[in-house]
């Protein structure tokens, strides 16, 4: 798996959509969820003795009026 490359999820997209609607209600919820998932992934790497730097970067791009155009974690 290459960093930043698209990956297919082994579950139905409908289920992912329903779960995201119940979990993420704001931009901050999305950031918390993505950072938590990233942290969990780093823990799995460490447990498997795979080197990583452990840095989690967050970038948010907003449109005029405050709408989020792009969120990258």
């Amino acid at each position: 798996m290459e960093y930043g490359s698209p990956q297919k999820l082994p579950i139905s997209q409908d289920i992912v959509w329903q779960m995201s609607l119940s979990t993420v209600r704001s931009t901050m919820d999305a950031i918390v969820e993505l950072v938590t998932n990233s942290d969990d992934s780093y823990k799995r790497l460490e447990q498997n003795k795979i080197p990583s730097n452990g840095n989690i970067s967050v970038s948010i791009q907003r449109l005029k009026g405050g709408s989020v155009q792009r969120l990258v974690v």
Side-chain angles (χ1 to χ4, degrees):
M1 177 183 339
E2 183 180 327
Y3 175 75
S5 64
Q7 303 294 317
K8 292 200 180 223
L9 295 174
I11 60 175
S12 165
Q13 291 296 316
D14 293 336
I15 293 172
V16 172
W17 181 252
Q18 288 173 350
M19 289 173 62
S20 69
L21 289 177
S22 66
T23 304
V24 179
R25 298 195 182 271
S26 69
T27 302
M28 188 56 71
D29 287 345
I31 292 169
V32 168
E33 186 68 22
L34 293 169
V35 168
T36 300
N37 291 348
S38 297
D39 187 52
D40 291 344
S41 294
Y42 277 123
K43 287 177 186 171
R44 281 192 296 277
L45 289 172
E46 290 172 359
Q47 288 171 350
N48 291 318
K49 298 186 173 133
I50 299 171
S52 63
N53 66 14
N55 291 332
I56 300 172
S57 300
V58 177
S59 173
I60 187 166
Q61 187 176 11
R62 293 187 177 267
L63 297 173
K64 194 173 190 177
S67 297
V68 176
Q69 181 177 19
R70 184 177 173 148
L71 171 63
V72 178
V73 176

